[in-house]
Amino acid sequence: MASKKQGQRQVLESMYSVIALVFMLVACVELGDAASAVDVYRLIQYDISGVPFGSRLASLNHHASSLHFSPGADLSRTVLVIPVRELDLGFVKGTTDSDQNGGLELLKNKLIELEQSLIHANILYPVYFAFEDENVNAVLADIKKNDAAGQQATATTGGYKFVVSAPEPKKVASPVITNIQGWLPGLKADGDATQLPTIAIVVSYDTFGAAPALSVGSDSNGSGVVALLEIARLFSILYSNPKTRGRYNLLFGLTSGGPYNYNGTHKWLRSFDQRLRESIDYAICLNSVGSWDNELHLHVSKPPENAYIKQIFEGFTNVAEELGVKVGLKHKKINISNSRVAWEHEQFSRLRITAATLSELSVAPGLLESTGGLSDGRHFLNENAVIRTVKLVAESLARHIYGHQGKSIEIFANGSSLAVNPSYIRSWLDLLSRTPRVAPFLSKNDPFVMALKKELTDHTDEVIMQNEVLDGMFTFYDSTKATLNVYQVASVTFDLLLLLVLGSYLIVLFSFLVIITRGLDDLISLFRRPPSRKVKTA
Amino acid sequence: MTVFHFFNCAILTFGPHAVYYSATPLSEYDTLGTSVKAALVYLGTALVKLVCLATFLKVSENDSFDPSQEFLKALIGFIDVAGLYFALTQLTHRNISQNHKFQAVGLGWAFADSVLHRLAPLWVGARGLEFTWDYILQGIEANANLVFSISLAALGSLMWLRKNKPKTLIPIIYACAGIVATMPSITSYLRRGLGWHFPKVVGFELFTSLVMAFISWQLFSACQRPSA
């Protein structure tokens, strides 16, 4: 009796596992039934002091249409598929407030204007970016053909359905910005009690763009990061030997929070103690040094007549002449009451530290401009520009450190052991061009941040990482990447038609079989049965 | 593509079986038991075939036509015929005429075949959003298969259940039975060897099923005359 019960229980248990297996199989097989699945990247969603910007929704499930829709068509439940080269920007501006769904866009050049209008707009529907490939192009061609024939895709006319099932975007709770600093101490003579002067080289490494999963910022500011790493490498070779160690400390800073008024730099400077702050002779910041031809600009906030500024500028111009390039001086006063910080050196200047920014940009960028967005890709970058920047900065610094101003001695000559290494620059530029670096989506243990830390540790003596929370003015929302499923659907009318056809087929088959096997009379009698029964009972 | 489409394809695939049962005198003579028994025999046959295929067949990487493998598959297909023989002769049926016996057996056989081979893909595939013609074509194929099964059952009953047959017709009967039995191999050759697309193959199946049904009908009525 007990064994029978046990046997029954075992059978039940095995049945449960079989049922579970069936459910899993059903679920697994149902997952991959789209015509094609495309990786899509969502437009950024953020608030500045509570004012919403960017795309506010993530999931969509609508029929697809192209730009050639017939005028007067109802677009309220469609996804518009727009290749960037066909996009007319007035169209985007005109529809930012109307009730419309979805915009899948294919990337091409001339994105800057598009990016700016998208970032500063408040869009109430989901916007996604995707790369062109054969699948997407084939689907788009089909959609255009349907639209040209005047057949708008709705539930009753078939066509393509685009489905993105993304979770509701949530606020990123405490966006972390990580500053990394590396310290190369100078040569202290024995018995010398005073603090050695310090020169700082600072670069901001994070980006901001319309599609945070695609904002790789090769030029802004990937070029600056690579230049800093190469300069650190060269000086670490010089400083490794006490005979060639200079009498200046070198402080290398990789800061985050650049697009947000250089928030990270501000916090980093606040963390310095008084002695360090006073020992800094000057700081050089690098911003976008990757695509210039023969002119760089040195931006300063102290007046050009200032002695220190003159000295720095002369040092740069001397080396620039030898390299055959030009460096221009640009002065922009700081307005303390204005919270906008356009250049990184302004954060230093607000604390009375002499600083300047070397950049190919001649005009200060506005808030969230030139922050390494969609258009800033690897192919717009010129390696030689970065190499020339490294030479310029390294030579000027070295001449200042070793007291060779005015003399034409080339310390980092080509072919020497201190030559600038192009393959080092190239490999780091390639890595940076593949890594999106929007700060709120970079955790403090992100592999890229760890890689930067490791690289600085190789070149400097002491590396400190500082993790801070981004200031409350900016709020970000997650859900930056999703998968778009494209389904080819038939319309409801097709289904109804099919049902009609099948119904008539079955009826015909039934009649045919009845006629063949039982004779025509039987078929007719099927319809006359009720009256004949009445006759029989009566 | 939605449950509506699944419903449409389901009635295309399984509807004719029900219609056949109710339209012909099978329903009057209550031959459901025979059909059910034939379906069970089909299940057993399918299991045996699976085991044989797994044991003897090599798995090929590409989808091309390999004559030796196809020949082996055809041989294993004859297990089908053996199963049909078993269903027709060995099972105890109620007292129903030969005419209805083969129809009931063929019907049960075809129904089991449809359920086993076509229900699972239909359930999994036709309910998704993506639309393809495949499931409608599969339904048409199920219809053709029904006709084939009934013809094969008719020829089978002629071969094994009827004792006095006109001598001249015997080779024709066996030839037709052979053709119908090797139908699966022929269709797979068309699909893989000649590279026909699914709609073409289904059309071919439909056409040959009607032709074979007509031929076996003629043979059956020809054999019926002497005994009648």
Side-chain angles (χ1 to χ4, degrees):
Chain A
M1 203 53 177
S3 61
K4 192 173 173 191
K5 271 200 174 164
Q6 245 187 0
Q8 280 181 344
R9 210 182 308 132
Q10 277 178 348
V11 168
L12 267 177
E13 279 171 356
S14 57
M15 267 182 56
Y16 284 148
S17 52
V18 167
I19 293 172
L21 182 64
V22 167
F23 278 138
M24 269 197 323
L25 280 176
V26 169
C28 289
V29 178
E30 273 192 47
L31 281 175
D33 76 330
S36 49
V38 184
D39 277 330
V40 290
Y41 310 95
R42 195 169 78 100
L43 181 65
I44 193 164
Q45 181 181 357
Y46 68 104
D47 301 336
I48 300 184
S49 307
V51 181
F53 290 103
S55 158
R56 311 306 293 180
L57 289 177
S59 53
L60 59 86
N61 183 342
H62 299 293
H63 287 88
S65 170
S66 74
L67 274 180
H68 304 290
F69 53 85
S70 41
D74 181 21
L75 290 176
S76 59
R77 298 197 71 77
T78 52
V79 175
L80 279 182
V81 183
I82 307 174
V84 167
R85 60 193 130 84
E86 292 176 23
L87 180 64
D88 169 22
L89 284 163
F91 178 76
V92 173
K93 297 192 178 84
T95 58
T96 43
D97 291 347
S98 64
D99 181 25
Q100 192 181 330
N101 280 302
L104 171 78
E105 297 177 332
L106 305 165
L107 288 177
K108 283 285 181 175
N109 304 321
K110 302 257 166 110
L111 293 170
I112 301 177
E113 203 188 327
L114 172 68
E115 198 170 4
Q116 287 303 311
S117 51
L118 284 175
I119 292 176
H120 291 113
N122 179 13
I123 304 177
L124 297 167
Y125 44 86
V127 179
Y128 283 96
F129 296 92
F131 289 102
E132 261 190 77
D133 65 358
E134 322 92 41
N135 274 342
V136 184
N137 276 338
V139 169
L140 183 60
D142 236 345
I143 295 175
K144 282 189 183 166
K145 218 176 3 153
N146 278 341
D147 275 350
Q151 246 185 328
Q152 192 67 339
T154 59
T156 47
T157 52
Y160 284 94
K161 205 155 203 239
F162 280 16
V163 178
V164 174
S165 40
E168 180 85 29
K170 292 189 299 292
K171 281 190 189 174
V172 175
S174 317
V176 172
I177 46 177
T178 310
N179 299 321
I180 313 171
Q181 75 180 50
W183 177 260
L184 258 186
L187 186 66
K188 243 186 166 160
D190 289 334
D192 195 355
T194 55
Q195 172 89 322
L196 279 179
T198 310
I199 299 181
I201 302 163
V202 190
V203 161
S204 129
Y205 68 86
D206 69 329
T207 59
F208 179 88
L214 295 175
S215 300
V216 292
S218 301
D219 201 7
S220 311
N221 195 5
S223 51
V225 173
V226 176
L228 180 138
L229 288 177
E230 178 66 0
I231 295 171
R233 187 187 72 88
L234 291 172
F235 275 98
S236 80
I237 301 177
L238 273 176
Y239 273 45
S240 56
N241 186 348
K243 292 203 195 123
T244 51
R245 201 176 294 166
R247 286 176 191 257
Y248 279 83
N249 299 320
L250 284 175
L251 177 62
F252 296 98
L254 284 165
T255 60
S256 179
Y260 323 114
N261 293 326
Y262 293 101
N263 196 265
T265 319
H266 171 82
K267 295 202 150 90
W268 184 50
L269 290 174
R270 290 275 131 104
S271 75
F272 284 1
D273 66 1
Q274 185 72 355
R275 276 205 325 163
L276 175 57
R277 212 185 295 177
E278 282 172 2
S279 77
I280 297 183
D281 242 16
Y282 62 92
I284 301 283
C285 308
L286 299 173
N287 183 352
S288 307
V289 292
S291 52
W292 57 282
D293 280 327
N294 44 23
E295 178 159 9
L296 272 183
H297 304 279
L298 191 68
H299 299 267
V300 291
S301 42
K302 291 198 172 160
E305 304 80 40
N306 184 300
Y308 297 114
I309 302 286
K310 264 192 176 169
Q311 197 181 42
I312 301 171
F313 184 56
E314 266 174 30
F316 275 116
T317 24
N318 286 337
V319 181
E321 267 168 27
E322 287 167 29
L323 287 177
V325 297
K326 185 174 174 306
V327 177
L329 190 63
K330 285 218 137 70
H331 173 230
K332 178 180 172 292
K333 280 204 189 125
I334 326 174
N335 186 350
I336 305 269
S337 54
N338 186 0
S339 63
R340 168 74 189 133
V341 178
W343 296 111
E344 196 160 12
H345 71 265
E346 293 184 13
Q347 292 286 17
F348 287 87
S349 303
R350 283 169 192 233
L351 293 175
R352 310 259 190 279
I353 305 175
T354 311
T357 303
L358 196 62
S359 172
E360 72 202 4
L361 302 169
S362 56
V363 179
L367 181 64
L368 300 176
E369 261 178 36
S370 297
T371 48
L374 281 177
S375 53
D376 204 345
R378 177 77 175 86
H379 37 274
F380 294 123
L381 208 56
N382 182 0
E383 242 166 58
N384 290 321
V386 182
I387 295 176
R388 264 179 281 142
T389 314
V390 171
K391 276 198 103 169
L392 178 64
V393 178
E395 282 286 353
S396 322
L397 284 180
R399 287 187 194 182
H400 182 94
I401 291 173
Y402 298 108
H404 294 307
Q405 286 98 322
K407 302 179 199 165
S408 58
I409 298 177
E410 208 183 343
I411 300 179
F412 302 101
N414 289 339
S416 70
S417 63
L418 288 172
V420 177
N421 186 347
S423 49
Y424 182 83
I425 290 183
R426 200 176 307 135
S427 57
W428 272 97
L429 278 179
D430 285 342
L431 173 65
L432 280 161
S433 306
R434 287 196 308 264
T435 320
R437 308 186 292 281
V438 181
F441 305 112
L442 275 184
S443 70
K444 66 177 175 200
N445 295 322
D446 189 86
F448 178 72
V449 175
M450 290 293 126
L452 283 180
K453 177 183 178 211
K454 181 183 170 297
E455 197 64 18
L456 265 191
T457 321
D458 282 347
H459 300 320
T460 58
D461 268 9
E462 198 187 318
V463 171
I464 301 177
M465 295 232 313
Q466 180 197 18
N467 296 309
E468 298 278 346
V469 174
L470 186 61
D471 261 348
M473 191 167 84
F474 283 85
T475 324
F476 291 91
Y477 294 79
D478 64 2
S479 183
T480 53
K481 215 174 127 137
T483 312
L484 171 74
N485 290 311
V486 180
Y487 298 104
Q488 186 161 24
V489 293
S491 54
V492 171
T493 44
F494 172 79
D495 275 338
L496 287 171
L497 216 64
L498 189 62
L499 184 63
L500 217 64
V501 166
L502 288 178
S504 41
Y505 164 68
L506 285 178
I507 291 174
V508 166
L509 185 67
F510 184 82
S511 326
F512 177 70
L513 287 172
V514 167
I515 292 176
I516 286 188
T517 52
R518 293 193 261 186
L520 189 58
D521 294 336
D522 263 346
L523 179 67
I524 298 173
S525 72
L526 273 177
F527 297 105
R528 282 221 204 118
R529 221 185 292 149
S532 58
R533 249 190 220 153
K534 274 189 187 166
V535 172
K536 273 193 181 166
T537 52
Chain B
M1 191 208 92
T2 71
V3 186
F4 198 171
H5 189 68
F6 167 73
F7 176 71
N8 279 344
C9 295
I11 59 176
L12 178 60
T13 315
F14 302 113
H17 299 87
V19 164
Y20 193 89
Y21 184 79
S22 55
T24 56
L26 288 181
S27 55
E28 285 179 15
Y29 290 97
D30 198 16
T31 49
L32 194 61
T34 315
S35 298
V36 169
K37 281 186 206 160
L40 290 173
V41 173
Y42 180 83
L43 252 136
T45 319
L47 273 168
V48 172
K49 268 172 65 177
L50 259 176
V51 170
C52 289
L53 281 172
T55 319
F56 296 119
L57 236 52
K58 298 194 296 273
V59 178
S60 68
E61 275 96 39
N62 51 355
D63 211 17
S64 66
F65 183 75
D66 189 3
S68 57
Q69 298 296 313
E70 294 297 326
F71 184 65
L72 216 55
K73 276 194 210 163
L75 276 182
I76 293 178
F78 275 106
I79 296 178
D80 255 340
V81 182
L84 210 53
Y85 170 79
F86 180 78
L88 277 172
T89 55
Q90 306 293 32
L91 290 178
T92 52
H93 302 291
R94 291 202 349 239
N95 195 11
I96 40 179
S97 75
Q98 289 226 336
N99 210 351
H100 297 141
K101 192 195 279 189
F102 82 81
Q103 284 183 49
V105 169
L107 187 67
W109 194 264
F111 185 72
D113 181 87
S114 285
V115 166
L116 233 52
H117 288 167
R118 292 182 192 97
L119 183 61
L122 206 57
W123 176 254
V124 167
R127 284 186 315 132
L129 270 179
E130 178 76 16
F131 174 74
T132 48
W133 288 101
D134 280 349
Y135 300 108
I136 299 178
L137 289 173
Q138 213 180 48
I140 300 178
E141 199 183 8
N143 279 302
N145 199 37
L146 172 62
V147 182
F148 271 134
S149 300
I150 295 184
S151 332
L152 190 58
L155 293 169
S157 84
L158 276 185
M159 288 192 295
W160 302 309
L161 293 179
R162 196 170 287 276
K163 299 306 167 194
N164 44 347
K165 299 184 276 263
K167 293 292 175 189
T168 48
L169 292 177
I170 293 180
I172 305 179
I173 293 174
Y174 280 101
C176 289
I179 293 175
V180 177
T182 53
M183 228 345 111
S185 302
I186 297 177
T187 43
S188 91
Y189 169 68
L190 288 175
R191 199 174 308 176
R192 307 228 190 107
L194 294 182
W196 280 20
H197 290 305
F198 197 34
K200 231 171 155 184
V201 173
V202 171
F204 170 77
E205 276 182 4
L206 214 53
F207 176 70
T208 39
S209 66
L210 291 172
V211 166
M212 294 310 297
F214 183 72
I215 295 176
S216 33
W217 184 22
Q218 292 303 321
L219 283 171
F220 201 84
S221 43
C223 289
Q224 208 149 348
R225 266 183 251 121
S227 56

